[in-house]
Amino acid sequence: MSKFWSPIVSRLKPYVPGEQPSMANLVKLNTNESPYGPSEKALEAIRAAASDDMRLYPDPVALGLRQAIGERCGVSADEVFVGNGSDEVLAHAFAALLKHDQPLLYPDISYSFYPTYAGLFGIHAVEVPLNDAFRIDIADYRRPAGAIILPNPNAPTGIGMPLAEIERLVAEHPDQPVVIDEAYIDFGGESAVALVPKYENLLVVQTFSKSRALAGLRVGFAIGQRPLIEALERVKDSFNSYPLGRAAQAGAIAAIRDTDWFEEARGKIIATRAELIRELEMRGFEVLPSQANFVFARHPDHAGQTLAAKLRERAVIVRHFAKPRIEDFLRITIGTDAECARLITALDEIV
Ligand code: PMP
């Protein structure tokens, strides 16, 4: 704390990202990255972008990328907003759409960046507890709200919501923006993008970080009708009119077009997930049903923190949250088959 800090900064509780250790031979299953390298076509496009043209500013409206995303998602480029990772897109959505005098509702437990953004933008936030099965129950959202945000599938539980439920939530709050954070949608969930033409209050946010294996490139996007997208554009142009560099735009365009790479990678992750769940259950773990590229699991006889520490001693890093209700869970990213086998071997020495 310093006398130079503004009251908002003094009160901030910043988000703490998962660690990015650089140890060799580490099985890194802590931040839900893809275990597979990105599309070779995306890498080629990034290399090609590293040219003399780098002296020029990038396209400030990223039209080519918005067109490519629009083609893929069945909307027009005007209904696409892009940003530096979906975190930045979410930050712009918070700044653009949320009201200060009406509560923002989001699930507890959920992505811990939401309370951080609420603090940053001075938004009154109300956490809506998950039900006893760790699920989001939309009946709990029938209360006064300025806006609603939830991830589908939820993080860190991995549990997805059927599209009909999402539609009911959006339809029940016609006067509030409803933001669906689909960071993990490509691993078995049902995307709400198809609902965008029908609902003016719906904003769907996705990322290139998970199913496209481009967390390092920092590209995310939102899909919504024009008035919502225009609000995000106003924030962007009041903040940084060039959020995506030339390499990011070029790489993301190639990545979104490489459907063969995408289908193969996500198919492998979904298959490995089923196998990992089976192996964990055989060892006594309770595993929540996951539609994401991670699983959320606890063991009746072992504290989560101890398990995470013992795995770390064996060079396997998973995520543990010291939070009531979930402190005994581990969030384990789906790795390659070989990485998951190393996790299981390590667990066999522990449980
Ligand atoms: N939403 C959720 C639910 C996430 O877990 C993450 C990744 N930590 C993000 C958004 C942000 O991802 P990115 O900024 O890499 O797109």
Side-chain angles (χ1 to χ4, degrees):
M1 177 96 81
S2 148
K3 66 179 177 184
F4 301 114
W5 289 14
S6 75
I8 284 205
V9 166
S10 304
R11 281 196 303 271
L12 278 185
K13 291 199 191 79
Y15 176 76
V16 183
E19 58 181 322
Q20 297 290 351
S22 54
M23 267 164 68
N25 205 24
L26 194 71
V27 178
K28 186 177 178 303
L29 305 177
N30 67 330
T31 46
N32 300 340
E33 289 136 334
S34 173
Y36 303 110
S39 144
E40 192 48 48
K41 291 180 181 155
L43 294 179
E44 270 167 31
I46 293 166
R47 282 184 211 111
S51 73
D52 189 49
D53 283 350
M54 273 297 181
R55 70 198 170 77
L56 302 171
Y57 279 107
D59 175 3
V61 298
L63 184 59
L65 175 56
R66 285 167 42 231
Q67 278 167 340
I69 293 169
E71 275 162 30
R72 166 88 190 163
C73 294
V75 298
S76 77
D78 269 3
E79 294 166 311
V80 181
F81 177 84
V82 294
N84 189 25
S86 59
D87 279 340
E88 187 181 270
V89 174
L90 289 167
H92 286 0
F94 271 61
L97 304 175
L98 306 193
K99 297 160 194 93
H100 291 253
D101 56 346
Q102 293 169 48
L104 163 72
L105 308 183
Y106 59 84
D108 175 35
I109 300 126
S110 190
Y111 185 32
S112 37
F113 231 129
Y114 304 152
T116 298
Y117 287 141
L120 177 62
F121 297 116
I123 291 155
H124 172 44
V126 173
E127 299 189 329
V128 182
L130 300 181
N131 72 13
D132 291 343
F134 294 99
R135 288 180 183 273
I136 293 168
D137 185 343
I138 64 153
D140 296 334
Y141 290 77
R142 289 182 192 129
R143 57 169 95 181
I148 296 172
I149 179 160
L150 44 96
N152 187 38
N154 196 9
T157 64
I159 297 177
M161 277 170 83
L163 190 56
E165 289 281 288
I166 297 277
E167 177 159 16
R168 200 167 310 138
L169 178 78
V170 175
E172 282 178 4
H173 296 85
D175 298 323
Q176 288 84 27
V178 177
V179 181
I180 307 295
D181 176 355
E182 295 190 345
Y184 302 102
I185 196 68
D186 295 322
F187 304 103
E190 290 179 272
S191 175
V193 162
L195 301 178
V196 164
K198 207 166 151 190
Y199 295 98
E200 62 177 3
N201 58 327
L202 172 63
L203 190 76
V204 182
V205 178
Q206 294 193 6
T207 180
F208 283 70
S209 297
K210 316 290 179 183
S211 57
R212 310 235 170 229
L214 286 169
L217 200 63
R218 310 303 300 130
V219 184
F221 60 95
I223 308 271
Q225 290 189 19
R226 234 359 247 162
L228 294 196
I229 296 297
E230 202 184 327
L232 271 69
E233 289 169 353
R234 282 177 156 234
V235 171
K236 180 204 90 153
D237 289 333
S238 310
F239 174 74
N240 172 9
S241 15
Y242 301 104
L244 287 185
R246 289 177 165 269
Q249 294 188 31
I253 290 172
I256 198 110
R257 292 195 176 137
D258 195 348
T259 43
D260 289 347
W261 178 93
F262 172 77
E263 293 300 342
E264 192 189 333
R266 75 162 165 176
K268 282 195 283 194
I269 289 166
I270 290 169
T272 305
R273 179 179 69 202
E275 180 60 17
L276 178 64
I277 292 173
R278 213 176 58 84
E279 295 283 346
L280 289 170
E281 286 178 344
M282 272 166 49
R283 284 156 180 84
F285 279 89
E286 175 197 355
V287 188
L288 300 190
S290 171
Q291 289 184 301
N293 67 338
F294 55 86
V295 293
F296 206 46
R298 65 178 162 189
H299 197 285
D301 307 328
H302 297 269
Q305 193 172 8
T306 317
L307 274 179
K310 289 186 173 171
L311 284 170
R312 172 180 291 269
E313 285 164 15
R314 291 160 177 81
V316 179
I317 305 222
V318 300
R319 192 88 192 254
H320 170 257
F321 299 88
K323 198 176 172 197
R325 261 192 104 183
I326 57 166
E327 61 207 354
D328 274 336
F329 280 90
L330 299 179
R331 194 195 67 191
I332 307 170
T333 304
I334 307 301
T336 60
D337 287 336
E339 286 172 324
C340 291
R342 272 189 58 194
L343 164 77
I344 293 296
T345 305
L347 282 175
D348 281 339
E349 294 172 15
I350 302 168
V351 300

